[in-house]
């Protein structure tokens, strides 16, 4: 079974829970597969957009909440919102989309989805995937799923790098992060210095030699 088929199979019950919470009690398999495919594509689009925004910022190694918000704006998860130019012109950030999303996440609709998914919504109640794993594993051995897509993440292992001064991938990533931050700071300092030099041209008493105009 391909990874796409596995992910599709794991996502189908989630879509069923959402349909059930919305009041639907039956559907055709073809309709369910189509909705599951749409949901999967949308989640992939969100993840890809988030990764692209994170990669565009060289000063951050990981993904920040700002990257997620920008991705949700790109994918129209936050509506309605003014375009960025209008927000700059008005001098006020439009957060209506965020407020609507938070209201939905804390509202009755999402609460009903959670109630259906957790078979009552009681805190601590197992979700469908945990229940399914326990059903097929009488010994409840979580270790057999460790490192898989339905289990806990495996413990991170240090990968040594031989033949150079850098001894691990983490050390290499830290060096890249420091270099990127240093380049950004250096670029900002250069821009400020050039602007200051250009602004002093009209004084007449300044020495023109040694000034940088590049």
């Amino acid at each position: 079974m391909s990874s796409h088929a596995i992910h599709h199979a794991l996502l189908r019950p989630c879509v069923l829970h959402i349909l059930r919470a919305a009041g639907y009690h039956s559907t055709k398999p073809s309709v369910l597969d189509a909705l599951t495919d749409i949901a999967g594509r949308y989640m992939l689009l969100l993840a890809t957009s988030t990764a692209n925004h994170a990669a565009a910022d060289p000063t951050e190694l990981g993904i920040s909440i700002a990257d997620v918000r920008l991705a949700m704006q790109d994918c129209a998860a936050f509506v309605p919102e003014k375009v960025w130019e209008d927000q700059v012109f008005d001098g006020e950030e439009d957060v209506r989309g965020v407020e609507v999303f938070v209201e939905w996440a804390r509202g009755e609709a999402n609460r009903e989805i959670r109630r259906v998914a957790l078979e009552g919504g009681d805190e601590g109640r197992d979700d469908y995937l945990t229940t399914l794993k326990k059903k097929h594993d009488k010994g409840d051995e979580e270790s057999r799923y460790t490192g898989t897509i339905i289990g806990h993440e495996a413990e991170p292992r240090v990968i040594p790098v031989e033949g150079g001064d850098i001894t691990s991938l983490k050390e290499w990533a830290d060096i890249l992060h420091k270099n990127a931050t240093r380049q950004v700071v250096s670029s900002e300092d250069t821009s400020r210095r050039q602007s200051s030099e250009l602004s002093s041209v009209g004084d007449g008493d300044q020495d023109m030699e040694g000034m940088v105009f590049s």
Side-chain angles (χ1 to χ4, degrees):
M1 181 180 291
S2 64
S3 60
H4 175 76
I6 295 176
H7 296 154
H8 185 87
L10 291 174
L11 187 58
R12 287 175 90 247
C14 300
V15 176
L16 281 173
H17 290 324
I18 295 174
L19 291 175
R20 181 182 170 189
Y24 295 94
H25 298 284
S26 64
T27 184
K28 294 182 179 179
S30 58
V31 175
L32 177 60
D33 287 337
L35 292 175
T36 303
D37 186 62
I38 292 173
R41 289 174 182 268
Y42 187 76
M43 293 173 63
L44 178 61
L45 181 62
L46 277 174
T48 303
S49 181
T50 302
N52 291 337
H53 283 293
D57 186 0
T59 62
E60 292 288 341
L61 285 179
I63 294 176
S64 64
I65 188 64
D67 300 324
V68 178
R69 177 181 176 180
L70 290 173
M72 297 182 76
Q73 288 177 333
D74 294 342
C75 300
F78 288 160
V79 290
E81 281 192 347
K82 298 179 182 178
V83 296
W84 176 248
E85 290 77 8
D86 291 342
Q87 297 184 50
V88 174
F89 180 79
D90 295 338
E92 183 179 0
E93 185 178 6
D94 187 3
V95 295
R96 290 178 298 166
V98 178
E99 293 174 348
V100 170
F101 181 82
V102 172
E103 182 180 354
W104 171 84
R106 297 177 176 177
E108 292 296 331
N110 193 39
R111 185 178 295 111
E112 179 65 11
I113 294 175
R114 290 179 56 83
R115 185 194 68 79
V116 172
L118 299 179
E119 296 295 337
D122 296 334
E123 186 175 356
R125 186 72 64 87
D126 292 334
D127 58 80
Y128 84 94
L129 183 57
T130 302
T131 303
L132 184 64
K133 287 162 59 178
K134 289 182 178 180
K135 178 180 179 181
H136 290 277
D137 186 9
K138 302 301 182 181
D140 192 21
E141 298 177 1
E142 285 290 335
S143 59
R144 66 180 297 184
Y145 301 108
T146 301
T148 67
I149 61 175
I150 60 174
H152 298 292
E153 294 185 1
E155 291 293 332
R157 295 181 299 174
V158 178
I159 302 178
V161 179
E162 300 179 357
D165 297 333
I166 300 176
T167 59
S168 66
L169 292 178
K170 183 180 183 304
E171 183 180 349
W172 175 69
D174 292 339
I175 293 176
L176 289 181
H177 176 64
K178 292 179 181 178
N179 291 339
T181 304
R182 191 180 301 113
Q183 290 177 0
V184 171
V185 173
S186 176
S187 177
E188 292 177 352
D189 292 341
T190 302
S191 299
R192 294 194 189 99
R193 184 172 63 255
Q194 291 177 354
S195 299
S196 176
E197 292 173 348
L198 288 174
S199 63
S200 63
V201 171
D203 294 342
D205 297 332
Q206 298 291 333
D207 187 4
M208 299 291 291
E209 295 183 1
M211 295 182 63
V212 179
F213 295 95
S214 58

Short mmCIF file of all heavy atoms in Angstrom, two decimals, residues 116-145:
data_model
loop_
_atom_site.label_atom_id
_atom_site.label_comp_id
_atom_site.label_asym_id
_atom_site.label_seq_id
_atom_site.Cartn_x
_atom_site.Cartn_y
_atom_site.Cartn_z
N VAL A 116 -18.41 14.21 18.48
CA VAL A 116 -18.61 13.03 17.64
C VAL A 116 -17.32 12.23 17.52
O VAL A 116 -17.32 10.99 17.63
CB VAL A 116 -19.13 13.45 16.25
CG1 VAL A 116 -19.15 12.25 15.31
CG2 VAL A 116 -20.51 14.06 16.36
N ALA A 117 -16.21 12.92 17.33
CA ALA A 117 -14.94 12.22 17.13
C ALA A 117 -14.49 11.49 18.38
O ALA A 117 -13.91 10.40 18.31
CB ALA A 117 -13.87 13.22 16.70
N LEU A 118 -14.79 12.06 19.55
CA LEU A 118 -14.35 11.45 20.81
C LEU A 118 -15.47 10.67 21.49
O LEU A 118 -15.37 10.32 22.66
CB LEU A 118 -13.83 12.53 21.76
CG LEU A 118 -12.61 13.31 21.26
CD1 LEU A 118 -12.20 14.36 22.28
CD2 LEU A 118 -11.45 12.37 20.98
N GLU A 119 -16.53 10.40 20.74
CA GLU A 119 -17.65 9.61 21.27
C GLU A 119 -18.16 10.17 22.59
O GLU A 119 -18.24 9.49 23.60
CB GLU A 119 -17.23 8.15 21.44
CG GLU A 119 -16.89 7.45 20.15
CD GLU A 119 -18.10 7.32 19.23
OE1 GLU A 119 -19.23 7.37 19.74
OE2 GLU A 119 -17.90 7.19 18.02
N GLY A 120 -18.49 11.46 22.58
CA GLY A 120 -19.03 12.09 23.77
C GLY A 120 -18.27 13.32 24.19
O GLY A 120 -18.79 14.17 24.90
N GLY A 121 -17.02 13.43 23.75
CA GLY A 121 -16.25 14.63 24.02
C GLY A 121 -15.68 14.71 25.41
O GLY A 121 -15.16 15.75 25.81
N ASP A 122 -15.76 13.64 26.20
CA ASP A 122 -15.20 13.69 27.55
C ASP A 122 -13.68 13.81 27.47
O ASP A 122 -13.03 13.15 26.66
CB ASP A 122 -15.56 12.42 28.33
CG ASP A 122 -17.05 12.31 28.56
OD1 ASP A 122 -17.73 13.37 28.56
OD2 ASP A 122 -17.54 11.18 28.71
N GLU A 123 -13.13 14.63 28.32
CA GLU A 123 -11.68 14.81 28.32
C GLU A 123 -11.00 13.51 28.71
O GLU A 123 -11.35 12.86 29.69
CB GLU A 123 -11.30 15.91 29.31
CG GLU A 123 -9.83 16.27 29.25
CD GLU A 123 -9.49 17.44 30.14
OE1 GLU A 123 -10.43 18.01 30.73
OE2 GLU A 123 -8.31 17.76 30.24
N GLY A 124 -10.01 13.13 27.93
CA GLY A 124 -9.31 11.89 28.20
C GLY A 124 -9.86 10.70 27.43
O GLY A 124 -9.25 9.64 27.42
N ARG A 125 -11.01 10.86 26.79
CA ARG A 125 -11.58 9.77 26.00
C ARG A 125 -10.73 9.56 24.75
O ARG A 125 -10.32 10.51 24.11
CB ARG A 125 -13.02 10.10 25.62
CG ARG A 125 -13.77 8.97 24.93
CD ARG A 125 -14.09 7.87 25.90
NE ARG A 125 -14.99 8.32 26.94
CZ ARG A 125 -16.31 8.32 26.83
NH1 ARG A 125 -16.89 7.93 25.70
NH2 ARG A 125 -17.07 8.70 27.84
N ASP A 126 -10.49 8.32 24.40
CA ASP A 126 -9.63 8.01 23.27
C ASP A 126 -10.32 8.35 21.96
O ASP A 126 -11.53 8.17 21.81
CB ASP A 126 -9.25 6.52 23.26
CG ASP A 126 -8.35 6.17 24.44
OD1 ASP A 126 -7.65 7.07 24.92
OD2 ASP A 126 -8.36 5.00 24.86
N ASP A 127 -9.53 8.81 20.99
CA ASP A 127 -10.07 9.06 19.66
C ASP A 127 -10.15 7.74 18.90
O ASP A 127 -9.72 6.69 19.38
CB ASP A 127 -9.21 10.08 18.92
CG ASP A 127 -7.77 9.63 18.80
OD1 ASP A 127 -7.48 8.79 17.93
OD2 ASP A 127 -6.94 10.09 19.61
N TYR A 128 -10.67 7.81 17.68
CA TYR A 128 -10.93 6.58 16.93
C TYR A 128 -9.64 5.83 16.61
O TYR A 128 -9.61 4.59 16.61
CB TYR A 128 -11.68 6.92 15.63
CG TYR A 128 -10.78 7.35 14.50
CD1 TYR A 128 -10.33 6.44 13.55
CD2 TYR A 128 -10.37 8.68 14.38
CE1 TYR A 128 -9.50 6.84 12.52
CE2 TYR A 128 -9.55 9.07 13.36
CZ TYR A 128 -9.12 8.15 12.42
OH TYR A 128 -8.30 8.56 11.41
N LEU A 129 -8.55 6.55 16.33
CA LEU A 129 -7.31 5.89 15.95
C LEU A 129 -6.70 5.14 17.14
O LEU A 129 -6.24 4.00 16.99
CB LEU A 129 -6.31 6.91 15.40
CG LEU A 129 -4.99 6.34 14.89
CD1 LEU A 129 -5.23 5.30 13.80
CD2 LEU A 129 -4.09 7.46 14.37
N THR A 130 -6.72 5.76 18.31
CA THR A 130 -6.22 5.09 19.51
C THR A 130 -7.05 3.86 19.83
O THR A 130 -6.52 2.80 20.19
CB THR A 130 -6.23 6.06 20.70
OG1 THR A 130 -5.44 7.21 20.38
CG2 THR A 130 -5.65 5.39 21.94
N THR A 131 -8.36 3.99 19.69
CA THR A 131 -9.24 2.85 19.94
C THR A 131 -8.97 1.72 18.96
O THR A 131 -8.95 0.53 19.33
CB THR A 131 -10.71 3.29 19.83
OG1 THR A 131 -10.95 4.36 20.75
CG2 THR A 131 -11.64 2.14 20.14
N LEU A 132 -8.74 2.08 17.70
CA LEU A 132 -8.46 1.06 16.69
C LEU A 132 -7.14 0.35 16.96
O LEU A 132 -7.04 -0.87 16.81
CB LEU A 132 -8.43 1.72 15.30
CG LEU A 132 -8.25 0.80 14.10
CD1 LEU A 132 -9.43 -0.15 13.98
CD2 LEU A 132 -8.10 1.61 12.82
N LYS A 133 -6.14 1.10 17.39
CA LYS A 133 -4.84 0.49 17.71
C LYS A 133 -4.96 -0.47 18.89
O LYS A 133 -4.37 -1.56 18.88
CB LYS A 133 -3.83 1.59 18.01
CG LYS A 133 -3.38 2.36 16.77
CD LYS A 133 -2.74 3.68 17.13
CE LYS A 133 -1.55 3.52 18.02
NZ LYS A 133 -0.90 4.82 18.32
N LYS A 134 -5.73 -0.08 19.90
CA LYS A 134 -5.91 -0.96 21.05
C LYS A 134 -6.69 -2.22 20.68
O LYS A 134 -6.45 -3.30 21.22
CB LYS A 134 -6.64 -0.21 22.17
CG LYS A 134 -5.79 0.87 22.84
CD LYS A 134 -6.57 1.54 23.96
CE LYS A 134 -5.71 2.58 24.66
NZ LYS A 134 -6.44 3.25 25.77
N LYS A 135 -7.61 -2.07 19.74
CA LYS A 135 -8.42 -3.22 19.32
C LYS A 135 -7.57 -4.27 18.64
O LYS A 135 -7.78 -5.47 18.82
CB LYS A 135 -9.53 -2.74 18.39
CG LYS A 135 -10.41 -3.85 17.86
CD LYS A 135 -11.48 -3.30 16.94
CE LYS A 135 -12.34 -4.43 16.38
NZ LYS A 135 -13.39 -3.90 15.45
N HIS A 136 -6.60 -3.82 17.85
CA HIS A 136 -5.76 -4.76 17.10
C HIS A 136 -4.48 -5.12 17.85
O HIS A 136 -3.69 -5.91 17.36
CB HIS A 136 -5.41 -4.17 15.74
CG HIS A 136 -6.58 -4.08 14.80
ND1 HIS A 136 -7.01 -5.15 14.05
CD2 HIS A 136 -7.43 -3.06 14.53
CE1 HIS A 136 -8.07 -4.79 13.33
NE2 HIS A 136 -8.35 -3.53 13.60
N ASP A 137 -4.28 -4.53 18.99
CA ASP A 137 -3.08 -4.83 19.77
C ASP A 137 -3.52 -5.10 21.20
O ASP A 137 -3.67 -4.19 22.01
CB ASP A 137 -2.10 -3.66 19.71
CG ASP A 137 -0.79 -4.00 20.39
OD1 ASP A 137 -0.60 -5.17 20.75
OD2 ASP A 137 0.05 -3.09 20.56
N LYS A 138 -3.74 -6.35 21.51
CA LYS A 138 -4.27 -6.71 22.82
C LYS A 138 -3.32 -6.34 23.95
O LYS A 138 -3.73 -6.03 25.05
CB LYS A 138 -4.54 -8.22 22.86
CG LYS A 138 -5.51 -8.70 21.78
CD LYS A 138 -6.86 -8.00 21.89
CE LYS A 138 -7.83 -8.53 20.83
NZ LYS A 138 -9.14 -7.85 20.90
N GLY A 139 -2.04 -6.35 23.66
CA GLY A 139 -1.06 -6.04 24.70
C GLY A 139 -0.83 -4.56 24.89
O GLY A 139 -0.11 -4.15 25.79
N ASP A 140 -1.46 -3.74 24.03
CA ASP A 140 -1.32 -2.29 24.11
C ASP A 140 0.16 -1.88 24.09
O ASP A 140 0.63 -1.10 24.90
CB ASP A 140 -1.99 -1.75 25.37
CG ASP A 140 -2.12 -0.22 25.32
OD1 ASP A 140 -2.06 0.33 24.21
OD2 ASP A 140 -2.26 0.39 26.39
N GLU A 141 0.89 -2.44 23.14
CA GLU A 141 2.30 -2.14 23.02
C GLU A 141 2.50 -0.95 22.09
O GLU A 141 2.48 -1.09 20.87
CB GLU A 141 3.07 -3.36 22.50
CG GLU A 141 2.98 -4.58 23.41
CD GLU A 141 3.70 -5.77 22.81
OE1 GLU A 141 4.26 -5.61 21.71
OE2 GLU A 141 3.69 -6.84 23.42
N GLU A 142 2.66 0.22 22.68
CA GLU A 142 2.85 1.42 21.88
C GLU A 142 4.17 1.40 21.14
O GLU A 142 4.33 2.06 20.12
CB GLU A 142 2.78 2.66 22.79
CG GLU A 142 1.39 3.03 23.24
CD GLU A 142 0.53 3.56 22.09
OE1 GLU A 142 1.10 4.07 21.11
OE2 GLU A 142 -0.70 3.44 22.18
N SER A 143 5.12 0.63 21.65
CA SER A 143 6.45 0.63 21.05
C SER A 143 6.44 0.10 19.62
O SER A 143 7.28 0.49 18.81
CB SER A 143 7.42 -0.19 21.90
OG SER A 143 6.96 -1.53 22.03
N ARG A 144 5.50 -0.76 19.30
CA ARG A 144 5.48 -1.33 17.95
C ARG A 144 5.11 -0.29 16.90
O ARG A 144 5.38 -0.47 15.72
CB ARG A 144 4.51 -2.50 17.88
CG ARG A 144 3.06 -2.12 18.07
CD ARG A 144 2.15 -3.33 17.99
NE ARG A 144 2.20 -3.95 16.68
CZ ARG A 144 1.44 -4.97 16.31
NH1 ARG A 144 0.60 -5.51 17.19
NH2 ARG A 144 1.51 -5.47 15.11
N TYR A 145 4.48 0.81 17.33
CA TYR A 145 4.10 1.87 16.39
C TYR A 145 5.06 3.05 16.42
O TYR A 145 4.89 4.01 15.66
CB TYR A 145 2.69 2.38 16.71
CG TYR A 145 1.62 1.32 16.65
CD1 TYR A 145 1.03 0.84 17.82
CD2 TYR A 145 1.21 0.80 15.43
CE1 TYR A 145 0.04 -0.13 17.77
CE2 TYR A 145 0.22 -0.18 15.38
CZ TYR A 145 -0.35 -0.64 16.55
OH TYR A 145 -1.33 -1.60 16.49
#
